[in-house]
Amino acid sequence: MRGVSGGAGEFGHVVLDPDGPPCRCGNRGCIEVYASFRGPLEEAERHFGRSLRITDVAEMAIAGDPFCIELVQRAGSIGGHGLGIIGSVLNPPLVVVSGRLAMTGDILIAPLAESFERHTLIKRADVPEATRTIIRASQFTDNGACIGAVGLVLRHHGQLN
Ligand SMILES: [Zn+2]
Protein backbone atom coordinates (compact mmCIF):
# COMPACT_ATOMS: atom_id res chain seq x y z
CA MET A 1 0.00 0.00 0.00
CA ARG A 2 1.45 3.30 -1.04
CA GLY A 3 -1.57 5.54 -0.56
CA VAL A 4 -3.27 7.72 -3.15
CA SER A 5 -0.63 10.45 -2.74
CA GLY A 6 2.26 8.25 -1.57
CA GLY A 7 1.72 9.02 2.10
CA ALA A 8 0.80 5.55 3.40
CA GLY A 9 2.84 4.08 6.21
CA GLU A 10 3.89 7.35 7.83
CA PHE A 11 3.19 5.91 11.26
CA GLY A 12 5.51 8.39 12.92
CA HIS A 13 2.96 11.08 12.19
CA VAL A 14 0.00 9.46 13.93
CA VAL A 15 -1.06 12.12 16.43
CA LEU A 16 -0.96 10.94 20.05
CA ASP A 17 -1.69 14.34 21.59
CA PRO A 18 -3.13 17.21 19.50
CA ASP A 19 -1.91 19.62 22.22
CA GLY A 20 1.58 18.07 22.26
CA PRO A 21 4.84 19.61 21.01
CA PRO A 22 5.00 20.73 17.37
CA CYS A 23 6.21 18.20 14.81
CA ARG A 24 8.27 18.96 11.71
CA CYS A 25 5.25 17.86 9.61
CA GLY A 26 3.16 20.79 10.87
CA ASN A 27 0.91 18.80 13.23
CA ARG A 28 1.36 18.52 17.00
CA GLY A 29 2.04 15.55 19.26
CA CYS A 30 2.99 13.04 16.54
CA ILE A 31 4.56 9.73 17.59
CA GLU A 32 7.81 10.91 16.00
CA VAL A 33 8.03 13.89 18.34
CA TYR A 34 8.15 11.51 21.31
CA ALA A 35 9.97 8.61 19.68
CA SER A 36 12.74 10.81 18.23
CA PHE A 37 14.28 10.98 21.71
CA ARG A 38 15.10 14.69 21.25
CA GLY A 39 13.36 15.68 24.49
CA PRO A 40 14.89 12.88 26.58
CA LEU A 41 18.36 13.78 25.24
CA GLU A 42 17.83 17.36 26.41
CA GLU A 43 16.78 16.01 29.82
CA ALA A 44 19.90 13.85 29.94
CA GLU A 45 22.09 16.83 29.02
CA ARG A 46 20.57 18.91 31.83
CA HIS A 47 20.96 16.00 34.28
CA PHE A 48 24.56 15.13 33.39
CA GLY A 49 25.69 18.64 32.45
CA ARG A 50 27.16 17.58 29.11
CA SER A 51 26.08 16.79 25.58
CA LEU A 52 25.03 13.18 24.98
CA ARG A 53 24.14 11.11 21.92
CA ILE A 54 21.41 8.47 21.84
CA THR A 55 24.11 5.81 21.82
CA ASP A 56 25.59 7.28 25.02
CA VAL A 57 22.23 7.10 26.81
CA ALA A 58 21.66 3.57 25.52
CA GLU A 59 25.09 2.41 26.70
CA MET A 60 24.64 4.09 30.09
CA ALA A 61 21.22 2.40 30.45
CA ILE A 62 22.78 -0.98 29.64
CA ALA A 63 25.48 -0.24 32.25
CA GLY A 64 22.71 0.29 34.82
CA ASP A 65 22.41 4.07 35.13
CA PRO A 66 18.93 4.57 36.64
CA PHE A 67 18.35 7.98 34.99
CA CYS A 68 19.12 6.59 31.53
CA ILE A 69 17.09 3.44 32.18
CA GLU A 70 14.11 5.66 33.07
CA LEU A 71 14.52 7.69 29.86
CA VAL A 72 14.68 4.54 27.70
CA GLN A 73 11.74 2.94 29.49
CA ARG A 74 9.64 6.08 29.07
CA ALA A 75 10.50 6.16 25.35
CA GLY A 76 9.46 2.50 25.14
CA SER A 77 6.15 3.22 26.83
CA ILE A 78 5.38 6.11 24.47
CA GLY A 79 6.51 4.12 21.44
CA GLY A 80 4.33 1.21 22.54
CA HIS A 81 1.33 3.55 22.74
CA GLY A 82 1.85 4.56 19.11
CA LEU A 83 2.53 1.00 18.02
CA GLY A 84 -0.62 -0.12 19.82
CA ILE A 85 -2.67 2.19 17.60
CA ILE A 86 -0.90 0.81 14.55
CA GLY A 87 -1.43 -2.71 15.89
CA SER A 88 -5.17 -2.08 15.99
CA VAL A 89 -5.09 -1.09 12.32
CA LEU A 90 -2.74 -3.78 10.96
CA ASN A 91 -2.71 -6.59 13.58
CA PRO A 92 0.83 -7.51 12.46
CA PRO A 93 2.45 -10.88 13.26
CA LEU A 94 5.79 -9.21 14.04
CA VAL A 95 7.00 -5.76 15.03
CA VAL A 96 10.75 -5.20 14.74
CA VAL A 97 11.96 -2.18 16.68
CA SER A 98 15.10 -0.65 15.23
CA GLY A 99 17.20 2.39 15.97
CA ARG A 100 19.96 2.95 18.48
CA LEU A 101 17.70 2.52 21.52
CA ALA A 102 16.94 -1.03 20.34
CA MET A 103 20.44 -1.98 21.48
CA THR A 104 19.13 -1.75 25.06
CA GLY A 105 16.96 -4.84 24.42
CA ASP A 106 14.43 -5.46 27.16
CA ILE A 107 15.07 -2.10 28.82
CA LEU A 108 13.20 -0.65 25.82
CA ILE A 109 11.17 -3.63 24.63
CA ALA A 110 9.54 -4.66 27.94
CA PRO A 111 7.76 -1.31 28.59
CA LEU A 112 7.10 -0.97 24.85
CA ALA A 113 5.40 -4.38 24.69
CA GLU A 114 3.42 -3.65 27.86
CA SER A 115 2.21 -0.33 26.43
CA PHE A 116 1.47 -1.95 23.06
CA GLU A 117 -0.71 -4.50 24.85
CA ARG A 118 -2.54 -1.76 26.76
CA HIS A 119 -3.29 0.30 23.64
CA THR A 120 -3.99 -2.27 20.93
CA LEU A 121 -7.32 -3.91 20.18
CA ILE A 122 -6.35 -7.59 20.16
CA LYS A 123 -5.12 -8.60 23.63
CA ARG A 124 -2.68 -11.47 24.09
CA ALA A 125 -5.01 -13.36 26.40
CA ASP A 126 -7.80 -13.28 23.80
CA VAL A 127 -5.99 -15.16 21.02
CA PRO A 128 -3.92 -18.35 20.68
CA GLU A 129 -0.16 -17.92 21.07
CA ALA A 130 0.45 -18.52 17.35
CA THR A 131 -1.65 -15.46 16.44
CA ARG A 132 -0.15 -13.00 18.94
CA THR A 133 1.92 -10.05 17.78
CA ILE A 134 5.60 -10.60 18.56
CA ILE A 135 7.68 -7.53 19.39
CA ARG A 136 11.46 -7.79 19.05
CA ALA A 137 14.47 -5.51 18.99
CA SER A 138 16.29 -5.40 15.66
CA GLN A 139 19.76 -6.89 15.45
CA PHE A 140 20.68 -3.99 13.17
CA THR A 141 20.91 -0.62 14.86
CA ASP A 142 22.21 1.63 12.08
CA ASN A 143 20.99 0.10 8.83
CA GLY A 144 17.85 -1.83 9.77
CA ALA A 145 15.55 0.33 7.61
CA CYS A 146 17.87 -0.11 4.62
CA ILE A 147 17.98 -3.88 5.08
CA GLY A 148 14.19 -3.91 5.42
CA ALA A 149 13.85 -1.99 2.15
CA VAL A 150 16.11 -4.49 0.39
CA GLY A 151 14.01 -7.33 1.82
CA LEU A 152 10.86 -5.66 0.51
CA VAL A 153 12.31 -5.45 -3.01
CA LEU A 154 13.52 -9.07 -2.91
CA ARG A 155 10.12 -10.25 -1.68
CA HIS A 156 8.36 -8.23 -4.39
CA HIS A 157 10.48 -9.96 -7.03
CA GLY A 158 9.97 -13.43 -5.52
CA GLN A 159 13.52 -13.76 -4.26
CA LEU A 160 12.52 -13.93 -0.61
CA ASN A 161 9.63 -15.66 1.14
ZN1 LIG B 1 4.31 14.77 12.45
Side-chain angles (χ1 to χ4, degrees), residues 10 12-15 21-33:
E10 290 291 346
H13 298 285
V14 170
V15 174
C23 179
R24 64 186 172 93
C25 74
N27 290 330
R28 303 183 78 87
C30 293
I31 292 173
E32 182 178 294
V33 171

PDB file of all heavy atoms in Angstrom, residues 10 12-15 21-33, ligand 1:
ATOM      1  N   GLU A  10       3.180   6.327   7.043  1.00  0.00           N
ATOM      2  CA  GLU A  10       3.892   7.347   7.831  1.00  0.00           C
ATOM      3  C   GLU A  10       3.415   7.287   9.281  1.00  0.00           C
ATOM      4  O   GLU A  10       2.840   8.226   9.819  1.00  0.00           O
ATOM      5  CB  GLU A  10       3.662   8.743   7.221  1.00  0.00           C
ATOM      6  CG  GLU A  10       4.349   8.941   5.903  1.00  0.00           C
ATOM      7  CD  GLU A  10       5.864   9.010   6.033  1.00  0.00           C
ATOM      8  OE1 GLU A  10       6.374   9.160   7.155  1.00  0.00           O
ATOM      9  OE2 GLU A  10       6.548   8.898   5.000  1.00  0.00           O
ATOM     10  N   GLY A  12       4.917   7.424  11.996  1.00  0.00           N
ATOM     11  CA  GLY A  12       5.510   8.385  12.920  1.00  0.00           C
ATOM     12  C   GLY A  12       4.687   9.651  13.055  1.00  0.00           C
ATOM     13  O   GLY A  12       4.873  10.408  14.005  1.00  0.00           O
ATOM     14  N   HIS A  13       3.761   9.853  12.137  1.00  0.00           N
ATOM     15  CA  HIS A  13       2.961  11.077  12.190  1.00  0.00           C
ATOM     16  C   HIS A  13       1.519  10.817  12.605  1.00  0.00           C
ATOM     17  O   HIS A  13       0.638  11.639  12.362  1.00  0.00           O
ATOM     18  CB  HIS A  13       3.070  11.831  10.864  1.00  0.00           C
ATOM     19  CG  HIS A  13       4.481  12.253  10.608  1.00  0.00           C
ATOM     20  ND1 HIS A  13       5.075  13.309  11.275  1.00  0.00           N
ATOM     21  CD2 HIS A  13       5.443  11.699   9.836  1.00  0.00           C
ATOM     22  CE1 HIS A  13       6.340  13.403  10.893  1.00  0.00           C
ATOM     23  NE2 HIS A  13       6.595  12.434  10.026  1.00  0.00           N
ATOM     24  N   VAL A  14       1.278   9.672  13.242  1.00  0.00           N
ATOM     25  CA  VAL A  14      -0.004   9.459  13.926  1.00  0.00           C
ATOM     26  C   VAL A  14       0.026  10.363  15.156  1.00  0.00           C
ATOM     27  O   VAL A  14       0.999  10.357  15.919  1.00  0.00           O
ATOM     28  CB  VAL A  14      -0.177   7.980  14.341  1.00  0.00           C
ATOM     29  CG1 VAL A  14      -1.374   7.807  15.268  1.00  0.00           C
ATOM     30  CG2 VAL A  14      -0.308   7.099  13.109  1.00  0.00           C
ATOM     31  N   VAL A  15      -1.027  11.154  15.330  1.00  0.00           N
ATOM     32  CA  VAL A  15      -1.065  12.119  16.431  1.00  0.00           C
ATOM     33  C   VAL A  15      -1.503  11.426  17.722  1.00  0.00           C
ATOM     34  O   VAL A  15      -2.584  10.855  17.794  1.00  0.00           O
ATOM     35  CB  VAL A  15      -2.018  13.289  16.092  1.00  0.00           C
ATOM     36  CG1 VAL A  15      -2.164  14.219  17.288  1.00  0.00           C
ATOM     37  CG2 VAL A  15      -1.510  14.048  14.873  1.00  0.00           C
ATOM     38  N   PRO A  21       3.835  18.750  21.660  1.00  0.00           N
ATOM     39  CA  PRO A  21       4.839  19.607  21.013  1.00  0.00           C
ATOM     40  C   PRO A  21       4.700  19.590  19.488  1.00  0.00           C
ATOM     41  O   PRO A  21       4.233  18.603  18.919  1.00  0.00           O
ATOM     42  CB  PRO A  21       6.167  18.952  21.421  1.00  0.00           C
ATOM     43  CG  PRO A  21       5.854  18.003  22.518  1.00  0.00           C
ATOM     44  CD  PRO A  21       4.417  17.634  22.391  1.00  0.00           C
ATOM     45  N   PRO A  22       5.091  20.693  18.837  1.00  0.00           N
ATOM     46  CA  PRO A  22       4.998  20.734  17.367  1.00  0.00           C
ATOM     47  C   PRO A  22       5.919  19.708  16.711  1.00  0.00           C
ATOM     48  O   PRO A  22       7.006  19.428  17.203  1.00  0.00           O
ATOM     49  CB  PRO A  22       5.434  22.158  17.006  1.00  0.00           C
ATOM     50  CG  PRO A  22       6.034  22.736  18.216  1.00  0.00           C
ATOM     51  CD  PRO A  22       5.628  21.912  19.397  1.00  0.00           C
ATOM     52  N   CYS A  23       5.431  19.162  15.591  1.00  0.00           N
ATOM     53  CA  CYS A  23       6.206  18.195  14.805  1.00  0.00           C
ATOM     54  C   CYS A  23       6.680  18.888  13.537  1.00  0.00           C
ATOM     55  O   CYS A  23       6.058  19.846  13.071  1.00  0.00           O
ATOM     56  CB  CYS A  23       5.319  17.001  14.462  1.00  0.00           C
ATOM     57  SG  CYS A  23       6.151  15.741  13.453  1.00  0.00           S
ATOM     58  N   ARG A  24       7.744  18.373  12.954  1.00  0.00           N
ATOM     59  CA  ARG A  24       8.274  18.958  11.714  1.00  0.00           C
ATOM     60  C   ARG A  24       7.276  18.879  10.563  1.00  0.00           C
ATOM     61  O   ARG A  24       7.392  19.587   9.572  1.00  0.00           O
ATOM     62  CB  ARG A  24       9.591  18.311  11.340  1.00  0.00           C
ATOM     63  CG  ARG A  24       9.471  16.836  11.013  1.00  0.00           C
ATOM     64  CD  ARG A  24      10.845  16.206  10.785  1.00  0.00           C
ATOM     65  NE  ARG A  24      10.740  14.784  10.651  1.00  0.00           N
ATOM     66  CZ  ARG A  24      10.607  14.127   9.484  1.00  0.00           C
ATOM     67  NH1 ARG A  24      10.593  14.799   8.361  1.00  0.00           N
ATOM     68  NH2 ARG A  24      10.502  12.825   9.463  1.00  0.00           N
ATOM     69  N   CYS A  25       6.239  18.005  10.689  1.00  0.00           N
ATOM     70  CA  CYS A  25       5.249  17.859   9.614  1.00  0.00           C
ATOM     71  C   CYS A  25       4.195  18.947   9.662  1.00  0.00           C
ATOM     72  O   CYS A  25       3.410  19.085   8.726  1.00  0.00           O
ATOM     73  CB  CYS A  25       4.586  16.485   9.682  1.00  0.00           C
ATOM     74  SG  CYS A  25       3.387  16.314  11.025  1.00  0.00           S
ATOM     75  N   GLY A  26       4.146  19.727  10.745  1.00  0.00           N
ATOM     76  CA  GLY A  26       3.159  20.785  10.872  1.00  0.00           C
ATOM     77  C   GLY A  26       2.056  20.451  11.866  1.00  0.00           C
ATOM     78  O   GLY A  26       1.353  21.348  12.320  1.00  0.00           O
ATOM     79  N   ASN A  27       1.881  19.182  12.203  1.00  0.00           N
ATOM     80  CA  ASN A  27       0.910  18.801  13.229  1.00  0.00           C
ATOM     81  C   ASN A  27       1.565  18.894  14.605  1.00  0.00           C
ATOM     82  O   ASN A  27       2.720  19.285  14.733  1.00  0.00           O
ATOM     83  CB  ASN A  27       0.404  17.367  12.981  1.00  0.00           C
ATOM     84  CG  ASN A  27      -0.473  17.286  11.749  1.00  0.00           C
ATOM     85  OD1 ASN A  27      -1.156  18.241  11.387  1.00  0.00           O
ATOM     86  ND2 ASN A  27      -0.456  16.137  11.100  1.00  0.00           N
ATOM     87  N   ARG A  28       0.832  18.505  15.635  1.00  0.00           N
ATOM     88  CA  ARG A  28       1.359  18.520  17.003  1.00  0.00           C
ATOM     89  C   ARG A  28       1.213  17.136  17.605  1.00  0.00           C
ATOM     90  O   ARG A  28       0.259  16.431  17.326  1.00  0.00           O
ATOM     91  CB  ARG A  28       0.612  19.540  17.868  1.00  0.00           C
ATOM     92  CG  ARG A  28       0.626  20.953  17.342  1.00  0.00           C
ATOM     93  CD  ARG A  28      -0.068  21.907  18.304  1.00  0.00           C
ATOM     94  NE  ARG A  28       0.779  22.235  19.424  1.00  0.00           N
ATOM     95  CZ  ARG A  28       1.669  23.231  19.441  1.00  0.00           C
ATOM     96  NH1 ARG A  28       1.796  24.019  18.388  1.00  0.00           N
ATOM     97  NH2 ARG A  28       2.410  23.450  20.501  1.00  0.00           N
ATOM     98  N   GLY A  29       2.158  16.777  18.467  1.00  0.00           N
ATOM     99  CA  GLY A  29       2.043  15.552  19.258  1.00  0.00           C
ATOM    100  C   GLY A  29       2.120  14.260  18.470  1.00  0.00           C
ATOM    101  O   GLY A  29       1.575  13.243  18.888  1.00  0.00           O
ATOM    102  N   CYS A  30       2.824  14.270  17.335  1.00  0.00           N
ATOM    103  CA  CYS A  30       2.990  13.044  16.542  1.00  0.00           C
ATOM    104  C   CYS A  30       3.873  12.042  17.307  1.00  0.00           C
ATOM    105  O   CYS A  30       4.699  12.433  18.132  1.00  0.00           O
ATOM    106  CB  CYS A  30       3.688  13.337  15.216  1.00  0.00           C
ATOM    107  SG  CYS A  30       2.713  14.339  14.077  1.00  0.00           S
ATOM    108  N   ILE A  31       3.718  10.771  16.994  1.00  0.00           N
ATOM    109  CA  ILE A  31       4.556   9.727  17.594  1.00  0.00           C
ATOM    110  C   ILE A  31       6.027  10.107  17.449  1.00  0.00           C
ATOM    111  O   ILE A  31       6.814   9.970  18.372  1.00  0.00           O
ATOM    112  CB  ILE A  31       4.290   8.364  16.921  1.00  0.00           C
ATOM    113  CG1 ILE A  31       2.893   7.867  17.263  1.00  0.00           C
ATOM    114  CG2 ILE A  31       5.343   7.334  17.341  1.00  0.00           C
ATOM    115  CD1 ILE A  31       2.480   6.618  16.504  1.00  0.00           C
ATOM    116  N   GLU A  32       6.407  10.593  16.275  1.00  0.00           N
ATOM    117  CA  GLU A  32       7.805  10.907  16.000  1.00  0.00           C
ATOM    118  C   GLU A  32       8.380  11.926  16.974  1.00  0.00           C
ATOM    119  O   GLU A  32       9.555  11.846  17.341  1.00  0.00           O
ATOM    120  CB  GLU A  32       7.942  11.422  14.561  1.00  0.00           C
ATOM    121  CG  GLU A  32       9.379  11.715  14.186  1.00  0.00           C
ATOM    122  CD  GLU A  32       9.524  12.172  12.758  1.00  0.00           C
ATOM    123  OE1 GLU A  32       9.266  11.363  11.858  1.00  0.00           O
ATOM    124  OE2 GLU A  32       9.882  13.350  12.557  1.00  0.00           O
ATOM    125  N   VAL A  33       7.555  12.879  17.401  1.00  0.00           N
ATOM    126  CA  VAL A  33       8.035  13.895  18.339  1.00  0.00           C
ATOM    127  C   VAL A  33       8.522  13.229  19.625  1.00  0.00           C
ATOM    128  O   VAL A  33       9.539  13.603  20.190  1.00  0.00           O
ATOM    129  CB  VAL A  33       6.915  14.919  18.650  1.00  0.00           C
ATOM    130  CG1 VAL A  33       7.327  15.838  19.784  1.00  0.00           C
ATOM    131  CG2 VAL A  33       6.555  15.712  17.412  1.00  0.00           C
TER     132      VAL A  33
HETATM  133 ZN    ZN B   1       4.312  14.769  12.454  1.00  0.00          ZN
END
